[in-house]
Amino acid sequence: MMMSVDSSVDRRDESQSTGNGNGNGVVTATNRTTYLSQRLRLNRNEAHQPENYDDLELEFNPALYGKMEQYLPPNLLTATRFHKLEYMKVVLDRYLTDHDRIQKHKEYRQYIISSYQPLHKEIYVMHPATFFVPSFIKAITENTEESLRSIISEPSPGVYTFEMLQPHFCELLLSEVESFEKWVQEAKFKIMRPNTMNKYGAVLDDFGLETMLDNLMNDFIRPISRVFFPEVGGTSLDSHHGFVVEYGKDRDYELGFHVDDSEVTLNVCLGKQFSGGELFFRGVRCDKHVNTDTQAEEVFDYSHVPGNGVLHRGRHRHGARPTTSGHRTNLLLWCRSSIFRESRKYQKDFPSWCGECLLEKKERQRQFVEATKKELLKREGEAMA
């Protein structure tokens, strides 16, 4: 899940069509929370004729939704099918345990892997010599801070860029994603999108690339993170979420200001031809300070280069500007550390990586020094008197 950021910096105007209540069962934005909190009827309304849900790709059997509709609160019976479905999904979600969710996702993934035939099987197993550029392989093989810094640039504090993927591998991965999306369309199968903000793209882990991406994190990204991000779990990355996002005509246009659900994020542009789509960074923040102002030195914009990687903390606030022409696809690897996440529960301040926590710490130190000076001057004056 991505967390969107409500910040005055680079905030874009957003228009939202809310509609007005008109007595025809239209549910507006203002009463959405109210209707979602209502309870089902105890007794079925047998006189109500439910909607037909057979044409939709749903989590459960469409017949269940039809039967459940007869138990809806009276004021929802005349609502649109969309809003009835939204309400029923919320109710059903309450009864799904974590075990249920894990099992359903496991079944979902197993169905895809057993049904989809890979187009380029060679990319499903890690082959460094054909995946990465020689300079990247050499630096990782030597595995020293000096070798890593020789290929990595830091154009802005906490943002690291480097040449990474060979053009041919980018082409193969793009082709594989296109093949998977074609299969999805032909099979009329509803897939899970990468996150809550992107409407297009695919989760690579779901169709067989999980092991390869796990090797990518463990053998190539963790050595870099160990050097540059030790304070946010860079030495203990142990899980990932790998996916591609797509921008351009008939795809996502831009990506709002947000933070990632990761400790360390790898972002690699795969191509193709495009204009725009720059990443904009606006400082690292903890949960408490995610909506605070940006300092001048934290402002940085980055233009994508196909094959080049960008590595940053997941809590580094960022977004993507509009892709004004062409088609851009990026590989994202959210790398996570369970050890760091557990330790973070017992901390209140994070001055080693949160820009605002650091400012507050410096201010406390300044006030302490100022108070100490005043106390010393006061004692001197008393002694002279």
Side-chain angles (χ1 to χ4, degrees), residues 122-257:
E122 63 269 33
I123 69 170
Y124 284 74
V125 178
M126 175 60 70
H127 296 292
T130 56
F131 285 16
F132 307 120
V133 297
S135 59
F136 183 76
I137 296 174
K138 183 175 184 292
I140 295 295
T141 302
E142 293 179 5
N143 196 23
T144 64
E145 182 172 344
E146 183 181 4
S147 68
L148 293 173
R149 289 190 181 279
S150 70
I151 65 161
I152 294 175
S153 300
E154 188 180 10
S156 180
V159 180
Y160 299 93
T161 64
F162 45 91
E163 291 184 39
M164 183 179 180
L165 298 179
Q166 291 193 26
H168 183 58
F169 173 78
C170 292
E171 293 170 5
L172 290 178
L173 184 52
L174 284 171
S175 175
E176 190 67 45
V177 171
E178 290 172 3
S179 174
F180 174 67
E181 291 179 337
K182 182 181 178 182
W183 172 81
V184 168
Q185 189 174 14
E186 291 176 349
K188 296 182 179 179
F189 183 71
K190 184 179 180 181
I191 63 170
M192 297 179 185
R193 294 303 176 183
N195 53 64
T196 56
M197 296 181 71
N198 285 100
K199 296 179 180 179
Y200 297 90
V203 179
L204 301 177
D205 299 317
D206 285 344
F207 62 94
L209 287 161
E210 182 179 23
T211 300
M212 186 275 283
L213 293 176
D214 213 36
N215 290 336
L216 172 60
M217 180 190 73
N218 290 329
D219 300 336
F220 298 91
I221 302 307
R222 192 160 58 193
I224 301 175
S225 300
R226 186 181 294 120
V227 173
F228 298 108
F229 304 119
E231 75 290 343
V232 293
T235 60
S236 57
L237 301 176
D238 53 15
S239 66
H240 76 267
H241 175 52
F243 56 95
V244 292
V245 291
E246 300 175 86
Y247 296 89
K249 186 178 179 181
D250 300 325
R251 293 292 187 270
D252 286 314
Y253 179 59
E254 62 184 341
L255 189 63
F257 200 31

Side-chain angles (χ1 to χ4, degrees), residues 39-66:
R39 295 187 177 185
L40 293 171
R41 295 165 54 101
L42 291 176
N43 300 310
R44 185 173 60 150
N45 185 341
E46 296 182 9
H48 175 70
Q49 184 63 37
E51 305 268 5
N52 188 308
Y53 297 92
D54 290 339
D55 61 318
L56 301 176
E57 292 287 341
L58 300 169
E59 194 169 4
F60 300 97
N61 190 311
L64 172 65
Y65 296 89

